[in-house]
């Protein structure tokens, strides 16, 4: 059994049915021979983003795999792997490597060394007989503990070597760990003592699939729930106790209830301080439930720490409430307060959400989009910058894993690959990415990948012919040199690549165009809808009062 055959056999045993990559990496050919679908992208970063979404939307049960060429292919991949690392996404990355005798000779790029800072582990294959052990370590790290990319480098001079048979490999075990029982008691004491508790839920809820437990706790103790951007859709946002998600932009309900809270229960989150997450108010009593012990007190002081799987933490808290026979609390007053604050907030924004101005306001486009699609059967993601801030506060999720939120790193063009990966993972869902005319400049050529590989996503492009967010900070550069101006006819671009493209300029045409785009995806054709919008700078962002 050759090296490539052994690796692909292990991938099959681990449930991998798609390998995404860019040649030359011989795993693509060996995968095809073994009936694993190879998907070739136009640039490496998009392929990593696709693998990223596969892992996210299966809660890590299926691992996204990306392979690439040694040297330039690996160098091009750095950004995508770094993005997945910042977002705690488990993907298996298998770059080619220089021949073993040259692997450590400068200036040859050595991924096993150079990518250690953006992976959970990075290891080369030097001896074919070690492949089962190396792959066992890789998948064990992917399926257990804190999520992150894992890298296995395949030297270019090893492909023709033999791996001993029979192949000694079986799928790795997945484990979960629970919190300290004494800490659970302390957490429940604090929750019951609290007058204004708030739950802040992160993507650990998605990986643990702890959606029912989160809802059960919120409903039992009448605790309002907000989520991180990565955790968005972990709690149904049409629920009376839902506050929405926090990013750079967020609903006023999130800011209001965090500020007036006395206890914040963070569950499945890191509380990482970032410009693209809701700022946590200081001086609150904090319960921090996280899988990673080194998250405790990293950015926010914790009074109680619960280290373990988010589902097991919530199970333990619910069991302690049962043991104490804590009665179910009424939601009425808190639900009424949430509804009041939300109503005031939406009233403030409704002129933009329903505007008939031309050029279009992006808020009107995205508001009509939400009213047109079946939100429960749709997976949507934003892009960096304005699309993120214009979409995430107002999009109301109803089912888990229907929104791919991100923001620990903010690479332009991330969203399109995520949408394609989402369609591979969930072919029965409408998969949408929302991006701007800046982001499409980074990964737009992979629209051709969507056409060629029959991945019918719906792409919503907000085109204002400008880097609008930079206008206030690049005034001289804009006035003297038009440095923030960008241009393009992206509907024509989509058609030229074999997909469906349509440009929309009038508000009365928004809904009908969206329906036409959806119809095209139902026929198996990727669709790009280009909406000509104003240079919108308003953002739903409110500063902490405490």
């Amino acid at each position: 059994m050759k090296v490539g055959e052994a690796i692909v056999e292990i991938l099959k045993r681990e449930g991998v049915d798609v390998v995404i990559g860019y040649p030359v990496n011989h795993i693509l050919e060996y995968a095809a021979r073994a009936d694993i679908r190879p998907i070739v992208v136009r640039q490496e970063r998009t392929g990593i983003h696709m693998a990223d979404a596969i892992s996210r939307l299966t809660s890590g049960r299926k691992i996204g795999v990306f392979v690439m060429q040694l040297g330039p292919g690996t160098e091009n991949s750095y950004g995508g792997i770094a993005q997945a690392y910042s977002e705690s996404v488990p993907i298996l990355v298998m770059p080619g490597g220089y021949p073993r005798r040259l692997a450590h000779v400068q200036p040859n790029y050595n991924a096993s060394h150079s990518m250690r800072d953006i992976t959970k582990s990075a290891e080369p294959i030097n001896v074919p007989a070690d492949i089962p052990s190396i792959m066992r370590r890789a998948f064990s790290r992917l399926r257990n503990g804190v999520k992150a990319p894992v890298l296995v480098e395949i030297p270019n001079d090893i492909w023709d070597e033999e791996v001993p048979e029979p192949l000694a490999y079986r799928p790795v075990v997945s484990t979960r760990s629970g919190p300290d029982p004494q800490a659970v008691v302390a957490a429940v004491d604090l929750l019951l003592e609290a007058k204004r508790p708030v739950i802040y839920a992160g993507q650990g809820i998605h990986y643990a699939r702890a959606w029912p437990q989160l809802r059960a706790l919120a409903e039992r103790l009448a605790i309002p729930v907000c989520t991180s951007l990565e955790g968005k859709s972990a709690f149904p946002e049409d629920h009376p106790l839902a506050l929405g998600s926090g990013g750079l932009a967020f609903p006023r309900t999130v800011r209001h209830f965090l500020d007036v809270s006395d206890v914040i229960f963070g569950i499945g989150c890191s509380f990482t301080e970032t410009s693209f997450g809701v700022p946590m108010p200081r001086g609150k009593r904090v319960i921090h439930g996280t899988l990673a012990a080194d998250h405790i007190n990293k950015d926010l002081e914790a009074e109680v720490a619960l280290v373990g799987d988010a589902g097991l933490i919530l199970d333990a808290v619910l069991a302690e409430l049962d043991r104490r026979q804590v009665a179910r609390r009424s939601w009425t007053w808190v639900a009424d307060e949430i509804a009041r604050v939300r109503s005031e907030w939406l009233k403030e924004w409704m002129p933009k959400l329903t505007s008939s101005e031309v050029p279009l306001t992006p808020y009107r486009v995205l508001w009509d989009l939400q009213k047109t699609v079946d939100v429960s059967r749709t997976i949507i993601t934003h892009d960096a910058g304005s699309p993120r801030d214009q979409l995430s506060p107002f999009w109301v999720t109803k089912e888990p894993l229907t929104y791919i939120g991100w923001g620990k790193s903010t690479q332009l063009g991330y969203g399109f690959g995520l949408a394609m990966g989402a369609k591979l993972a969930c072919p029965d869902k409408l998969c949408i990415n929302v991006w701007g005319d800046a982001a499409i400049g980074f990964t737009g050529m992979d629209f051709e990948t969507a056409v060629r590989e029959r991945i019918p996503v719906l792409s919503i492009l907000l085109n204002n012919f400008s880097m609008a967010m930079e206008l206030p900070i690049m005034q001289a550069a804009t006035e003297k040199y038009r440095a923030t101006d960008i241009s393009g006819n992206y509907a024509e671009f989509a058609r030229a690549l074999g997909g469906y493209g349509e440009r929309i300029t009038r508000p009365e045409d928004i809904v009908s165009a969206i329906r036409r785009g959806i119809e095209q995806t139902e026929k198996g054709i990727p669709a790009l809808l280009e909406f000509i919008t104003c240079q919108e700078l308003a953002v739903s962002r409110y500063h902490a009062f405490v």
Side-chain angles (χ1 to χ4, degrees), residues 258-304:
L258 285 173
D259 287 350
V260 302
S261 69
D262 54 353
V263 172
I264 298 174
F265 181 13
I267 178 67
C269 69
S270 65
F271 278 129
T272 295
E273 188 173 336
T274 168
S275 299
F276 307 100
V278 60
M280 287 293 147
R282 301 298 172 176
K284 307 298 183 181
R285 304 178 77 183
V286 173
I287 304 166
H288 193 176
T290 175
L291 190 59
D294 60 0
H295 288 166
I296 302 299
N297 293 322
K298 178 174 71 73
D299 297 276
L300 199 63
E301 182 181 0
E303 183 173 334
V304 179

Side-chain angles (χ1 to χ4, degrees), residues 340-360:
R340 176 183 61 79
V341 175
R342 177 177 290 116
S343 177
E344 292 171 354
W345 169 67
L346 283 175
K347 183 178 180 181
E348 174 188 339
W349 282 91
M350 202 54 69
K352 287 189 178 293
L353 296 169
T354 59
S355 171
S356 295
E357 294 177 4
V358 176
L360 305 169

Side-chain angles (χ1 to χ4, degrees), residues 475-491:
Q475 294 182 24
T478 300
E479 291 170 8
K480 294 171 67 176
Y481 302 105
R482 309 311 307 170
T484 58
D485 292 355
I486 48 181
S487 65
N489 189 318
Y490 302 107

Side-chain angles (χ1 to χ4, degrees), residues 402-420:
T402 54
Y403 192 104
I404 307 177
W406 48 278
K408 298 287 178 57
S409 181
T410 56
Q411 297 173 13
L412 283 165
Y414 188 19
F416 187 62
L418 289 177
M420 287 199 289

